[in-house]
């Protein structure tokens, strides 16, 4: 069965620090990869997605992620975080065949201190 | 374009009761998925509907059911509520296929079972 692992459950950073959140998935076939963010009191919203092509994808608010197929990873990065990036971040995977669902990681809570 | 809407936003029920939650997708979206979000389990897939048919189902007991109407609006029902059903229930809509189309999430319905 598909699974998604996010190894960092809680991350605390100071403003301007660099961020990297890990995401690994277990599925050997073709996958689509997503990062969603949930700001306090707000909806889940899409940060970025990878379907094919350039493995380095750029999303909203200065976030980017790199798909490394050999490592089954899709890590999220941001060079310089802001206090407003405080949120919970979810990595998710779908299989590009019949079964139509997102499999989510358990999430990483990021706290950015001013 | 209006986003995904869910009603009600908050519900308090007692054990043994049943509950119905409603989701209106983004106009033009025909796929609706439901997820349960809890602190311990994260986001778990419940089911997905497309053109009034349940296309995929997650690993939840039969007490959890859903349906979709011809206008793509969806409802989910939980019968014989248990304390463990307390959670945030999220609805997401996509154009046709959750595996390839971006899923847009609603604000959720917070269900508390006493």
């Amino acid at each position: 069965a598909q699974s998604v692992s996010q190894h960092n459950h809680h991350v605390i950073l100071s403003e301007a620090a660099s961020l990297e959140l890990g995401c690994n998935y277990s599925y050997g076939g073709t996958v689509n990869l997503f990062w969603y963010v949930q700001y306090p009191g707000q909806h889940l919203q899409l940060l970025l997605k990878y379907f094919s092509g350039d493995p380095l994808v750029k999303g909203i608010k200065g976030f980017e992620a790199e798909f490394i197929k050999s490592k089954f990873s899709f890590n999220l990065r941001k060079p310089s975080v802001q206090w407003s990036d405080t949120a919970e971040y979810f990595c998710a995977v779908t299989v590009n065949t019949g079964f139509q669902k997102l499999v989510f990681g358990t999430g990483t809570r990021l706290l950015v201190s001013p | 374009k209006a986003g995904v809407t869910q009603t009600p936003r908050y519900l308090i029920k007692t054990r043994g009761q049943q509950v119905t939650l409603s989701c209106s997708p983004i106009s033009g979206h025909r796929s609706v998925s439901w997820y349960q979000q809890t602190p311990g389990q994260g986001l778990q897939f419940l089911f997905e509907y497309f053109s009034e048919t349940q296309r995929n189902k997650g690993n939840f007991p039969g007490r959890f059911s859903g349906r979709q109407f011809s206008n793509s609006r969806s409802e989910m029902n939980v019968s014989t509520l248990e304390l463990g059903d307390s959670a945030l229930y999220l609805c997401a809509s996509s154009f046709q296929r959750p595996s390839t189309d971006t899923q847009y999430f609603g604000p959720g319905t917070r269900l508390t079972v006493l």
Side-chain angles (χ1 to χ4, degrees), chain A residues 6-51:
Chain A
Q6 291 182 246
H7 307 295
N8 313 103
H9 296 295
H10 293 90
V11 173
I12 301 174
L13 294 172
S14 299
E15 273 193 317
S18 64
L19 170 72
E20 180 159 2
L21 300 182
C23 172
N24 288 90
Y25 63 92
S26 64
Y27 183 73
T30 303
V31 294
N32 299 316
L33 299 151
F34 305 80
W35 276 98
Y36 281 86
V37 61
Q38 192 170 34
Y39 297 103
Q42 294 189 28
H43 307 190
L44 263 175
Q45 56 184 282
L46 182 70
L47 264 182
L48 48 79
K49 62 185 178 184
Y50 173 80
F51 286 173

Side-chain angles (χ1 to χ4, degrees), chain A residues 49-67:
Chain A
K49 62 185 178 184
Y50 173 80
F51 286 173
S52 63
D54 188 344
L56 184 63
V57 293
K58 295 193 184 300
I60 61 172
K61 305 188 179 186
F63 286 91
E64 64 179 33
E66 185 175 12
F67 170 52

Side-chain angles (χ1 to χ4, degrees), chain A residues 32 36 49 51 94 99 102, chain B residues 35 37 56 98-100 102-103:
Chain A
N32 299 316
Y36 281 86
K49 62 185 178 184
F51 286 173
T94 64
F99 203 71
L102 275 169
Chain B
Y35 295 85
Q37 185 177 18
N56 295 283
S99 63
T100 54
T102 300
Q103 285 200 311

Side-chain angles (χ1 to χ4, degrees), chain B residues 13-17 61 63-64 78-87 89 111-114:
Chain B
K13 293 284 187 180
T14 55
R15 280 179 296 175
Q17 287 187 306
R63 300 184 297 106
F64 291 82
V78 188
S79 62
T80 321
L81 284 165
E82 300 177 0
L83 294 178
D85 297 333
S86 293
Y89 289 88
L111 172 64
T112 303
V113 182
L114 303 175

Side-chain angles (χ1 to χ4, degrees), chain B residues 14-81:
Chain B
T14 55
R15 280 179 296 175
Q17 287 187 306
Q18 75 163 16
V19 66
T20 299
L21 313 180
S22 181
C23 171
S24 293
I26 290 171
S27 177
H29 284 191
R30 296 170 63 194
S31 169
V32 174
S33 300
W34 288 89
Y35 295 85
Q36 182 195 65
Q37 185 177 18
T38 59
Q41 299 295 318
L43 283 142
Q44 301 286 318
F45 172 77
L46 280 155
F47 25 65
E48 185 248 349
Y49 286 87
F50 179 81
S51 291
E52 302 178 67
T53 301
Q54 187 181 86
R55 197 160 52 173
N56 295 283
K57 190 176 188 309
N59 296 324
F60 279 81
R63 300 184 297 106
F64 291 82
S65 63
R67 59 177 175 168
Q68 188 181 33
F69 302 95
S70 58
N71 61 358
S72 294
R73 191 177 69 84
S74 177
E75 288 181 348
M76 67 164 279
N77 185 75
V78 188
S79 62
T80 321
L81 284 165

